[in-house]
Amino acid sequence: MAGPPSSKRQRTADPALATSRIEGLTTDLLLRVMSNLDARLAVQICVLFPCFRDLWRSLPCINATCEEFEDDEGIVNEVSFKAFINRFLARRESVGIDRFRLCYSIVGGPGTDLEACYVDANDWIRHALEHDARIVELENHSEPLELDPDVFTSKCLETLHIGNATLVEGFFEQLEHGCPGLKDLVLTNCMITDHEISSPTLELLTVQEELGFVHDDRLFLKGLSGVTRLTFYYGHRKLTMEKDYQWCPKFSNLTDLILEGWCVHEDFYALIVFLQNSPNLKKLTLELDKPRLHQGKLCAIVGELEERSFTCDQLEIVNIICSEKALLAKVKQFLLDGGVELEKIHDCRN
């Protein structure tokens, strides 16, 4: 038979004592804790404690997530979600925002006003940027979100992650001129109708999942020639380049490059192109365990090269993540044949 609960358990379960402990926390600590919660949950918790009932109005990080408005079947009540976020942002104190995360769900169909949904989302993003948000993360489900380029005007924005959105003509030009401090750009499952990705300040570009390129399968790399770090994920389809076609710019400042398995197809064509155009590369990471198939189809950039040699005089380390022994050996031999010293090549499976 179990004995009576210990006094320690009794003290921990005492609501009054728990409340006292929470109310004894500093405001700064509470703000940090609340910033990790969804906005709706943060408000619900704050109203339970009179001493920091309005603390949510000063949160430095806002998680505007639609999941908090799902019913038992996982369907989001869009009307309630939009009304809550509008009230939440309108009643905030006039304090800066460090990070703004929007997780939205636009479900198209009869009676859905997509334009109104776009306007709401762009207004929320504008609010965050007008309050000096340093990090903006946009995650969207169902119908792609059409972003208004004019919204992106901020000297403080450093990191921008965009998922499932349409990036219209003029979007990247606005980023270049309107967000001069942008360093980290992640594009996931986006439809790009713009002509070029260009940013003189961008240090890290991540392109992942399937992207729609409307303008002749261009890879939009020319405008990124000044980056120092580049993570390039290609998961679209097999793309065949004309012989010796110059699709890759000269990355004169690039020192840190991460590529996946798509770059080692067709006798290392894509990897050679990157190495030929990265004269100051110091660190190369090859994540070869990443899937090289998308919907059962090969994902790769392939072509022919008249000149296959490359020099990596500045290269200090090559990290290879590959569980296929045959492929690992092939990649190592390729690097050795290209002049990379054995002690600089590291097997990072473990």
Side-chain angles (χ1 to χ4, degrees), residues 275-318:
L275 293 177
Q276 288 178 337
N277 289 282
S278 306
N280 295 306
L281 189 65
K282 294 183 178 180
K283 180 180 180 182
L284 173 64
T285 302
L286 300 175
E287 298 180 350
L288 305 184
D289 279 340
K290 300 288 185 177
R292 283 168 280 165
L293 296 177
H294 179 69
Q295 297 179 348
K297 297 182 180 180
L298 176 67
C299 299
I301 301 174
V302 300
E304 295 183 20
L305 291 171
E306 186 72 28
E307 177 56 61
R308 293 177 53 84
S309 64
F310 58 89
T311 57
C312 295
D313 296 337
Q314 305 299 317
L315 194 61
E316 298 175 356
I317 185 172
V318 179

Side-chain angles (χ1 to χ4, degrees), residues 138-347:
L138 309 176
E139 178 184 345
N140 179 49
H141 306 292
S142 302
E143 295 293 329
L145 174 63
E146 186 169 309
L147 295 177
D148 179 1
D150 292 337
V151 166
F152 293 87
T153 302
S154 171
K155 295 181 179 180
C156 298
L157 182 63
E158 296 179 358
T159 300
L160 177 60
H161 294 187
I162 303 176
N164 191 25
T166 300
L167 310 180
V168 300
E169 186 173 343
F171 180 82
F172 292 106
E173 181 179 2
Q174 177 61 29
L175 277 187
E176 179 179 357
H177 299 291
C179 302
L182 185 63
K183 298 178 181 178
D184 181 357
L185 176 63
V186 177
L187 304 177
T188 304
N189 195 28
C190 293
M191 174 65 72
I192 300 177
T193 63
D194 206 350
H195 294 278
E196 191 70 73
I197 297 178
S198 178
S199 172
T201 62
L202 203 61
E203 296 179 356
L204 179 61
L205 170 67
T206 303
V207 180
Q208 52 193 7
E209 304 298 335
E210 181 171 352
L211 277 79
F213 296 110
V214 174
H215 293 287
D216 304 321
D217 290 316
R218 297 171 65 186
L219 295 180
F220 300 99
L221 292 175
K222 183 178 179 181
L224 303 174
S225 58
V227 299
T228 58
R229 298 162 55 216
L230 178 64
T231 303
F232 194 87
Y233 298 149
Y234 181 78
H236 185 41
R237 58 182 175 82
K238 184 177 180 179
L239 180 60
T240 302
M241 297 296 186
E242 296 180 4
K243 186 175 182 179
D244 293 323
Y245 176 64
Q246 298 296 319
W247 56 270
C248 183
K250 181 73 72 174
F251 290 105
S252 299
N253 299 327
L254 186 64
T255 59
D256 189 347
L257 175 63
I258 300 176
L259 299 174
E260 291 185 332
W262 61 268
C263 73
V264 298
H265 287 286
E266 297 290 331
D267 203 17
F268 302 99
Y269 166 79
L271 179 56
I272 292 173
V273 170
F274 270 97
L275 293 177
Q276 288 178 337
N277 289 282
S278 306
N280 295 306
L281 189 65
K282 294 183 178 180
K283 180 180 180 182
L284 173 64
T285 302
L286 300 175
E287 298 180 350
L288 305 184
D289 279 340
K290 300 288 185 177
R292 283 168 280 165
L293 296 177
H294 179 69
Q295 297 179 348
K297 297 182 180 180
L298 176 67
C299 299
I301 301 174
V302 300
E304 295 183 20
L305 291 171
E306 186 72 28
E307 177 56 61
R308 293 177 53 84
S309 64
F310 58 89
T311 57
C312 295
D313 296 337
Q314 305 299 317
L315 194 61
E316 298 175 356
I317 185 172
V318 179
N319 291 325
I320 306 175
I321 304 171
C322 180
S323 58
E324 298 179 32
K325 292 183 178 179
L327 178 59
L328 177 61
K330 184 178 179 181
V331 172
K332 283 185 174 180
Q333 191 60 53
F334 163 78
L335 294 170
L336 291 171
D337 293 344
V340 180
E341 298 172 4
L342 180 60
E343 58 267 24
K344 294 181 179 180
I345 303 174
H346 298 266
D347 179 356

